[in-house]
Amino acid sequence: MGGMSNSPMMQQYLDAKAACPDSLLLFRMGDFYELFFDDAKTAATVLGLTLTSRDKGENAVPMAGFPHHQLENYLAKLIAAGLRGAICDQVEDPRQAKGIVRREVTRIVSRGTLTDDALLDPRASNYLAALVCDGGDKRGERAAVGLAWVELSTGRFFASQFAAERLADELARIAPVECLVSDAATTAAPTLDGRMTVTCRPAWAFAHRQARDALHKHFGTTTLEGFGFADDDTAAVRAAGAVLDYLAETQRTSLGHLDRLTKYRVGSTLEIDEATRRSLEISRTLRDGRREGSLLAVLDRTATAAGSRLLGETIANPLTDIAAIDARLDAVAELVAQPVLAGELREQLRQIHDIERLLARVTTGRATPRDLSGVARTLRVLPVLKAKLTARSSALLNRIESSIDLCPELRAKLETALEDDCPLVSNDGGFIRPGYSAELDALRELTSGGKQWIAKYQADEAARSGIVSLKVGFNSVFGYYLEITNTHRDKVPQHYIRKQTVKNAERYITPELKEYEQRVLTADERSKSLEQQLFVELRDLVGQQSKCLRTTADALAKVDVLAGFSELARQRGYCRPTMVTEPVLRIIEGRHPVLDALVADGSFVPNDVTAGPDAGLVLLITGPNMAGKSTYIRQAALITLMAQLGSFVPAREATIGIADRIFARVGASDELSRGQSTFMVEMTETARILNTATERSLVILDEIGRGTSTYDGVSLAWSVVEHLHQRIGCRTLFATHYHELTQLETTLPRIRNLNVAVREWQDDLVFLHQIVAGAADKSYGIHVARLAGVPRTVLERAKQILSQLEQDHLDARGRPKWAPGNGGRSGDLQLSLFAEPEHPLLSQIRELDLDRLTPLEALALLGQWQRELDGGESSRRESHKAGDAAGRAARELAAR
C-alpha cells in the first residue's frame, strides 16, 4: 500500500481495528468520523453514506464518513441494523500533540450496551443477557440454565438458575435485546421473534473461576453469599461473570453503578409462559409486535420514563403474595378516593428527570452539564412531592415517602453552581453561574475582552499621543491593534510597531497590548479548563450520592405507577378486586381492558364470569365466530393478571383467587422455521399446559383440535377437557365450536355450559356479545361466511351439504349420533368412542349363567380373571374396575 495506506494514521487505524474486528470502527479525524476498507462499504449500504476513496489505482482505500456531531444518529441506524460500532476518539489535544494525535477505542456500542438517551426508548428497559447451559451430571440430573441480565442504563443487575425447559419463558419475561452465548455452545442460540441479537463470546469468558473472581473484584467482596448465591449456583454466577466481562471490554470505563447483583427466584411471581404472553398480547401485539394495542399500552398512564419502565417490569412479574397485592390496592384506593392529591402528585412527577438513567451516565463519565442540571431540577421538586405523601393511610405510600431522600446539600451545591439552561457538552463551558468561582469570574472577564481595560488603555494612549481618533481593535489574524488614520501619521509614537496598512489608516501594536492579548488568549483556555474541572467535581459529587439518589428514583417510579393506576381506574370506572386464596373467579360485568379502551364509551358489552369448586371449574363456551368467545376468555385472564399487579380492574365487582400460573392457548401460529405446523404448535402448547398446570392455575383455551380431522379434533378436545376437570381441577375457560363437548356437563359435575347469544332476523345474524348459560344450538358458520363476502353460489351449495350431513349424522334431537350423552337421564350412560372402553372381563361376567354355575366353577373363573389382570394387559384403572366387577359377581354367587 502507498500514500495514505501506509501512513502513521492508517497504521493507527489498523491497530484499533484489529482490537475490535467484529465492529464497525468509527475513527475520529478532526471534525469527522471516518470508516475505511470493508467497514466503509458496509456503512455506505447500511448508513446511506457516500463511498469515496483515498489514493488512486491499486492503492485506493474505500472511505466513508460523517460529521462528529451526527454520531448518535448514525449509531442509532447502525444498532437498528444489528451491527456493533467501535468509537475511536482523539484522546489528547491536537494542539499539544507531538506528532500524530493519540487515538483509542473509548467504547464499543451494541444493542445491549446503550446508555445514550437518543438511542434508547425511555419507556422500555434495554436488557443485555448472558446464557450458560450446564449439561447436568453423570447421575442423570437435568441440565441447569444460568441466566444473567443487566440494564446498563440504570444499573439493575440480576442472575438466576433454573431448569432448561424454562428458558424460553424466562427470556420472554425479560425480553433482552442482546444475549451473550459461548462460541463453544452445542445447542442453538435462543431467539425472540427476531427482537434479540445473539452475540458469541469466547468460552473462557464463561469459566466459573474467572466469573467468580471478576464478581468479587467488582463488588469488593470475598463471597457472593451476601447476594443470595450458594455454592450450587454456578451456572448463574458464570452468566453474571460473562456479562461483567463483556461490559468491561465494551465500555472501558467505570461500572460503579452496578452496585449489587440481585438473585431472581423462579416461581416467586405469577408465571406466564412465552405462548401465553404472546396470546394475551400483554406487552406486544400479535399482529405486528408493537407496544400500541397491548395491555401495557392501555395501563400506562405514568408521567415519567422511569415509571413507564417499572410498569413494564411489573406487568412482566405479577405478584402471587396476597399481602403485597393488597398493599398496592390500598395505595391505589387512597389515590382514587383523593383525585386532587393524585393529580398534584402527577403534576410534580412530570417535572422529574430520568434520574435512574442519568446516574448511569454520571458513573460511566458520560454525563453532561444538562444531566447535572436535571438532577438539580429533580431535587428542587422533591420537598413538595414528599410532603404530599406524608401521613398517608396507605402503608405502602408511607414506605415510599420514607425512601425519598431530599439530598439538601447536593441540591444547594448544584443550584448554586449551575445555570438554569445548561449545554449538552462541557467542553465549551458557559454553564457555571457567575459568583460560584471568583477565579473563573476573573478569567471570564479577561476572555470577554476586558472592555474596561481596553477603554482605559485607548483613552490613555489617545491622551499620551495627542491622537483623539486613536482606536483599539481586534481581528483573528493580528490580534489586538491600535488604528491611526493617515491624517495623524506624524504623531505616531516611536515605540509603536506597524503591522498592517489599510485604507486611510495604519495599524500598530505595542508590547503592553501584546502582553494583554496573551493574557486574554490564555484566559480563554484556562477558563474552559477550570469550568471543566468544576464540572467534574460536581459530577463526582452526584456520583457519591448515587445510592440515595437511586433509592429515591425507585420510590418516585413506584409512586408514578400507583398514581397511573388510580388515574386509569377513575377514568375507566374500574373497581377494586377482592383477592382471596381460594381458587375462585367471580367477575360481575367484566370488560376486556384493551377493547374497552379502544371502542366508544359504553359500547362494549360487559359479561359475568363465575368459576370455582362450587360454581363450576370448567366453563365450556360455544357460539359462532365473531360473537365474542375469544374476547370473553381473554378478558377473564387479563382481569386476573391486572388484579395480581395491584391494579383496579374493568368490572363492577370482582373476586379473584390468586393464580400461580396463567396459561392461554388462543389463535393459530406456524413456526415453519422450526419445522412446526400450526397444529404442532397448538399441541405443543397444550401439552405444556396439561403437564404443568396446577389446581391454582387459570387456563384459557380456544378452539383446541381445529387443526386436524373432525373426529381427531373432537377426540382431543374431549380428552383435554376431561383431563383438566378430573386430573388438574383448575379454573378453565374453554371456547370451542365442537358442540359435542357440551354434553360433558351431564357427566362431569364441575363443568358448566355457556354460549354467546345471537339472534337471527330475516336471514341475518345479530351478535349480542352476551354470554348466557347453556349450549349454543348451532355454529352459524355459513352466516359468518356470508358476512365475510363468500360468493352466494358457494353459500347455497354449503347449505345443501350441511343439510345432508345433519341428516346422516344427527339424531332426532339434533345431536351427533356418535357423540356420548345420557339423554338427560342419570344412570343411562351411552358408552361410545369417547367413554372409557369396557374391559373384556365385564362382558364375560354378563354372559355367565349364574343358575348353572357351581361354586367351584366360580372360583376357577375368578382365578383365571386374576391371572389375566396380573398379566399387565390392562391399565391400572381398568384393572380396578374389572376387579370390582369380578368381586360383585363373586358376592352374588356366594349369596346364591
Side-chain angles (χ1 to χ4, degrees):
M1 291 186 297
M4 182 186 174
S5 304
N6 56 9
S7 68
M9 182 177 292
M10 182 53 65
Q11 186 58 52
Q12 193 179 54
Y13 169 86
L14 294 173
D15 291 342
K17 178 63 181 176
C20 43
D22 56 349
S23 303
L24 293 187
L25 184 65
L26 309 181
F27 191 73
R28 181 73 180 265
M29 295 176 62
D31 291 336
F32 284 79
Y33 280 104
E34 301 287 359
L35 301 96
F36 299 99
F37 302 107
D38 289 342
D39 283 3
K41 296 177 182 178
T42 301
T45 301
V46 174
L47 305 181
L49 301 177
T50 300
L51 187 65
T52 59
S53 65
R54 287 290 185 94
D55 298 336
K56 302 296 182 183
E58 295 181 357
N59 295 324
V61 175
M63 177 178 176
F66 55 85
H68 73 93
H69 62 271
Q70 294 183 7
L71 175 62
E72 288 183 344
N73 293 336
Y74 284 104
L75 274 179
K77 293 180 181 179
L78 186 149
I79 296 300
L83 301 173
R84 305 197 322 160
I87 301 172
C88 187
D89 278 321
Q90 298 174 173
V91 294
E92 67 176 335
D93 190 333
R95 293 171 296 183
Q96 299 176 359
K98 296 180 180 179
I100 188 172
V101 176
R102 188 162 56 91
R103 294 176 174 84
E104 292 178 0
V105 175
T106 54
R107 60 175 167 145
I108 298 173
V109 181
S110 64
R111 289 187 68 187
T113 61
L114 303 178
T115 56
D116 300 321
D117 279 350
L119 304 178
L120 289 166
D121 181 349
R123 304 173 301 171
S125 296
N126 192 75
Y127 281 119
L128 165 73
L131 171 64
V132 169
C133 292
D134 273 343
D137 62 17
K138 296 180 181 179
R139 294 172 295 178
E141 292 184 359
R142 291 188 304 173
V145 168
L147 192 65
W149 58 102
V150 65
E151 227 278 6
L152 184 61
S153 69
T154 62
R156 287 176 293 164
F157 193 7
F158 304 89
S160 184
Q161 189 166 309
F162 43 82
E165 56 265 27
R166 292 193 53 86
L167 177 58
D169 296 341
E170 292 302 315
L171 287 175
R173 179 182 63 82
I174 300 164
V177 296
E178 182 178 5
C179 187
L180 311 176
V181 298
S182 169
D183 56 12
T186 57
T187 56
T191 60
L192 273 183
D193 300 332
R195 297 194 303 272
M196 184 178 75
T197 298
V198 175
T199 301
C200 289
R201 300 287 293 160
W204 55 259
F206 296 84
H208 180 242
R209 175 173 291 184
Q210 175 166 322
R212 182 194 60 201
D213 293 346
L215 291 168
H216 287 170
K217 180 179 179 181
H218 177 79
F219 293 115
T221 63
T222 57
T223 177
L224 296 176
E225 291 181 3
F227 295 120
F229 293 90
D231 292 339
D232 58 353
D233 289 320
T234 56
V237 170
R238 289 170 58 195
V243 165
L244 205 57
D245 171 77
Y246 185 68
L247 292 180
E249 176 183 305
T250 58
Q251 300 309 293
R252 308 188 181 201
T253 186
S254 169
L255 298 171
H257 65 302
L258 306 183
D259 57 3
R260 69 175 70 90
L261 178 63
T262 302
K263 184 174 183 178
Y264 175 80
R265 302 187 184 279
V266 175
S268 59
T269 58
L270 174 66
E271 295 184 28
I272 308 173
D273 63 27
E274 179 187 12
T276 300
R277 291 182 190 277
R278 187 172 60 246
S279 294
L280 294 181
E281 300 182 300
I282 293 174
S283 57
R284 295 177 181 272
T285 58
L286 264 173
R287 181 182 296 274
D288 52 19
R290 293 168 59 87
R291 189 180 195 266
E292 292 70 22
S294 68
L295 177 67
L296 173 58
V298 168
L299 297 188
D300 193 354
R301 301 299 178 91
T302 56
T304 69
S308 187
R309 292 196 300 273
L310 179 60
L311 176 62
E313 298 283 336
T314 302
I315 288 180
N317 300 277
L319 301 174
T320 54
D321 181 79
I322 196 167
I325 296 171
D326 280 334
R328 287 184 185 173
L329 291 172
D330 288 343
V332 175
E334 183 170 0
L335 294 174
V336 168
Q338 300 190 47
V340 174
L341 169 64
E344 291 173 344
L345 285 173
R346 287 168 58 79
E347 182 59 34
Q348 296 299 316
L349 287 167
R350 291 188 183 96
Q351 303 175 50
I352 297 294
H353 289 250
D354 196 344
I355 298 297
E356 203 176 32
R357 283 187 167 169
L358 189 154
L359 286 174
R361 294 196 294 277
V362 167
T363 306
T364 56
R366 295 176 187 138
T368 68
R370 190 169 295 177
D371 288 333
L372 300 192
S373 177
V375 175
R377 291 171 184 269
T378 298
L379 293 176
R380 194 178 304 157
V381 173
L382 292 187
V384 175
L385 197 150
K386 185 177 175 73
K388 294 187 181 301
L389 291 172
T390 302
R392 294 291 112 204
S393 61
S394 159
L396 179 56
L397 290 178
N398 283 322
R399 287 199 300 272
I400 291 173
E401 182 272 333
S402 65
S403 299
I404 297 176
D405 192 329
L406 299 181
C407 302
E409 294 180 359
L410 178 61
R411 174 191 171 186
K413 189 78 170 178
L414 293 176
E415 288 185 338
T416 302
L418 297 173
E419 293 278 8
D420 290 335
D421 295 318
C422 289
L424 278 173
V425 294
S426 60
N427 294 341
D428 295 333
F431 52 86
I432 297 294
R433 287 184 186 275
Y436 179 72
S437 168
E439 181 183 0
L440 179 62
D441 290 344
L443 291 172
R444 282 175 169 173
E445 176 64 22
L446 281 174
T447 301
S448 65
K451 293 182 179 179
Q452 293 181 349
W453 189 93
I454 292 293
K456 183 176 183 303
Y457 180 75
Q458 179 176 298
D460 290 346
E461 289 301 306
R464 277 197 292 268
S465 64
I467 305 173
V468 179
S469 59
L470 179 148
K471 294 181 180 179
V472 177
F474 178 85
N475 66 33
S476 58
V477 177
F478 296 108
Y480 285 101
Y481 57 83
L482 296 161
E483 184 172 287
I484 300 174
T485 62
N486 292 333
T487 305
H488 301 287
R489 184 183 304 174
D490 56 339
K491 297 180 182 180
V492 174
Q494 292 185 356
H495 66 281
Y496 280 21
I497 303 171
R498 189 172 65 83
K499 292 295 293 182
Q500 185 181 20
T501 299
V502 295
K503 185 178 181 180
N504 299 324
E506 296 284 344
R507 290 175 176 174
Y508 302 85
I509 60 173
T510 66
E512 186 179 10
L513 189 58
K514 293 307 292 181
E515 180 184 353
Y516 177 77
E517 177 185 301
Q518 186 62 31
R519 288 171 56 201
V520 168
L521 295 178
T522 56
D524 182 42
E525 294 180 9
R526 288 163 54 203
S527 171
K528 292 178 180 178
S529 176
L530 177 57
E531 197 161 2
Q532 180 67 23
Q533 178 183 330
L534 295 173
F535 167 71
V536 171
E537 291 175 0
L538 292 171
R539 187 185 67 195
D540 291 345
L541 188 62
V542 172
Q544 293 167 15
Q545 299 291 315
S546 62
K547 189 171 184 179
C548 65
L549 286 171
R550 188 174 290 112
T551 301
T552 297
D554 183 61
L556 295 175
K558 289 177 180 176
V559 172
D560 194 13
V561 170
L562 295 171
F565 280 164
S566 73
E567 178 79 4
L568 180 65
R570 209 167 29 247
Q571 288 184 352
R572 304 301 308 173
Y574 288 4
C575 76
R576 174 176 180 161
T578 300
M579 308 304 297
V580 296
T581 56
E582 296 78 14
V584 299
L585 189 60
R586 181 175 179 270
I587 302 170
I588 307 301
E589 295 183 9
R591 311 186 301 276
H592 190 293
V594 178
L595 295 180
D596 184 48
L598 295 177
V599 301
D601 288 345
S603 61
F604 188 90
V605 179
N607 277 292
D608 300 345
V609 180
T610 304
D614 299 327
L617 282 173
V618 180
L619 306 182
L620 276 173
I621 305 103
T622 50
N625 281 314
M626 297 176 58
K629 298 191 303 298
S630 295
T631 297
Y632 178 70
I633 63 175
R634 275 188 170 106
Q635 77 186 39
L638 292 175
I639 287 174
T640 301
L641 188 151
M642 288 175 62
Q644 293 190 218
L645 298 177
S647 167
F648 281 26
V649 298
R652 182 167 62 84
E653 183 182 337
T655 300
I656 310 292
I658 299 292
D660 62 349
R661 296 174 172 91
I662 292 180
F663 293 98
R665 167 59 215 170
V666 179
S669 60
D670 283 309
E671 294 194 20
L672 299 180
S673 62
R674 302 184 189 180
Q676 294 184 344
S677 67
T678 299
F679 184 65
M680 183 62 180
V681 173
E682 175 185 322
M683 288 298 101
T684 300
E685 294 175 0
T686 302
R688 290 197 64 188
I689 295 172
L690 299 180
N691 288 323
T692 56
T694 73
E695 62 181 6
R696 293 183 56 210
S697 301
L698 173 64
V699 174
I700 68 169
L701 293 167
D702 191 17
E703 303 300 346
I704 291 297
R706 301 292 287 183
T708 185
S709 71
T710 300
Y711 290 106
D712 274 357
V714 175
S715 302
L716 284 166
W718 189 289
S719 184
V720 166
V721 173
E722 284 187 337
H723 187 92
L724 289 165
H725 179 276
Q726 295 173 294
R727 300 291 183 86
I728 300 176
C730 63
R731 291 161 290 178
T732 301
L733 280 74
F734 195 106
T736 183
H737 279 95
Y738 293 136
H739 292 177
E740 298 79 16
L741 302 186
T742 61
Q743 296 179 58
L744 281 166
E745 185 182 52
T746 63
T747 61
L748 299 177
R750 294 179 297 176
I751 287 186
R752 300 291 182 270
N753 282 329
L754 302 174
N755 74 93
V756 189
V758 296
R759 292 290 182 270
E760 291 184 74
W761 182 74
Q762 294 183 354
D763 202 33
D764 277 338
L765 197 62
V766 179
F767 298 110
L768 302 182
H769 303 293
Q770 188 71 48
I771 305 296
V772 296
D777 54 357
K778 55 182 176 178
S779 293
Y780 299 98
I782 295 177
H783 292 77
V784 175
R786 182 174 57 79
L787 293 175
V790 174
R792 181 174 296 277
T793 54
V794 174
L795 297 174
E796 293 302 324
R797 177 57 179 154
K799 289 179 181 179
Q800 295 172 8
I801 297 171
L802 176 62
S803 177
Q804 183 64 44
L805 289 174
E806 289 178 340
Q807 179 179 343
D808 292 343
H809 296 286
L810 298 182
D811 60 21
R813 298 170 60 183
R815 301 180 312 172
K817 294 177 181 178
W818 45 268
N822 62 6
R825 300 186 303 274
S826 61
D828 187 22
L829 180 63
Q830 175 188 346
L831 296 176
S832 73
L833 169 66
F834 301 98
E836 294 191 3
E838 183 179 88
H839 196 281
L841 296 185
L842 296 177
S843 299
Q844 296 180 38
I845 292 171
R846 280 199 194 89
E847 294 171 0
L848 286 177
D849 188 345
L850 298 181
D851 293 330
R852 296 183 180 181
L853 192 66
T854 68
L856 288 176
E857 290 173 335
L859 288 174
L861 282 171
L862 287 174
Q864 176 187 334
W865 294 338
Q866 188 177 52
R867 286 191 296 273
E868 290 180 8
L869 293 175
D870 289 342
E873 296 177 1
S874 306
S875 67
R876 182 175 300 173
R877 185 174 179 183
E878 291 167 340
S879 299
H880 290 166
K881 289 187 175 181
D884 290 342
R888 287 194 300 272
R891 287 193 294 272
E892 290 178 8
L893 288 172
R896 289 181 182 274

